[in-house]
Amino acid sequence: EHVLEKAILYGWLFCMLVWWYTVDMSVAKQFTIAVIEDEKMLLKYMVSSLSLEASFRVVSALNGEEGEKLIIAEKPDLVFLDIMMPKKNGFEVLESIKNNAATKNIPIVVLSNLGQDKDIQLAKELGATDYLVKVDMEISDLVKKAYSYLHKR
């Protein structure tokens, strides 16, 4: 009888260790991505597309002011940032985040409808990792882009 009890106990302990290891590994591989976008439908689509990936935890904000607070609080591994937003525009958020010692190394990818060279140059000067024009990009490519930026870190 004691042999059976020990076998059950060891089996249960083994299952718990396997479960703990699996949970621990999935958490260790997870990246936090912040999406700061004021267009609600686009934000929802971007968040849902990125959230399909088990290795992504996605947080979001609808304006620049909330977005800046979110980036400071969460310190995400990657940020997708719109430029034209209420309360604080993307250039202001980008400048503030890059001037903050705690957040300056977070890669920030600007996603905007502003495709003029002067806007792209300003974003790069302020520290943007990349600048993507929304009309030139498919949302389905967002996941691939996210992985490529995260693996460059």
Side-chain angles (χ1 to χ4, degrees):
E1 286 180 25
H2 292 331
V3 173
L4 182 59
E5 288 173 3
K6 282 184 180 179
I8 291 170
L9 178 63
Y10 289 133
W12 182 82
L13 285 172
F14 178 75
C15 288
M16 290 304 293
L17 282 171
V18 168
W19 174 82
W20 178 79
Y21 179 77
T22 305
V23 168
D24 188 50
M25 291 306 290
S26 66
V27 171
K29 291 185 220 168
Q30 200 168 46
F31 295 103
T32 299
I33 299 175
V35 180
I36 319 301
E37 169 64 60
D38 66 320
E39 294 176 39
K40 288 182 183 179
M41 290 303 294
L42 180 57
L43 176 66
K44 185 177 179 180
Y45 190 47
M46 290 170 68
V47 168
S48 58
S49 294
L50 291 164
S51 295
L52 291 173
E53 294 296 307
S55 57
F56 294 165
R57 183 177 80 86
V58 184
V59 294
S60 63
L62 279 166
N63 65 60
E65 192 175 278
E66 288 176 16
E68 183 178 352
K69 289 177 185 173
L70 181 74
I71 294 166
I72 291 168
E74 292 280 340
K75 293 181 187 55
D77 299 293
L78 176 65
V79 176
F80 286 109
L81 177 68
D82 187 21
I83 293 296
M84 301 303 296
M85 294 184 291
K87 298 192 180 180
K88 205 169 198 180
N89 71 45
F91 291 124
E92 294 168 320
V93 174
L94 180 58
E95 184 173 30
S96 175
I97 293 304
K98 291 301 180 177
N99 286 325
N100 181 333
T103 57
K104 69 180 183 180
N105 294 321
I106 297 171
I108 298 181
V109 178
V110 171
L111 280 174
S112 182
N113 285 323
L114 302 175
Q116 297 181 354
D117 289 341
K118 67 179 179 66
D119 297 316
I120 296 168
Q121 184 178 348
L122 177 58
K124 295 277 184 146
E125 287 172 4
L126 292 173
T129 303
D130 202 355
Y131 192 106
L132 305 173
V133 179
K134 290 178 189 175
V135 295
D136 297 340
M137 199 188 113
E138 294 287 327
I139 293 294
S140 59
D141 293 332
L142 204 59
V143 172
K144 291 178 201 162
K145 294 277 187 190
Y147 276 116
S148 74
Y149 298 122
L150 290 166
H151 290 299
K152 288 178 185 175
R153 288 193 81 186

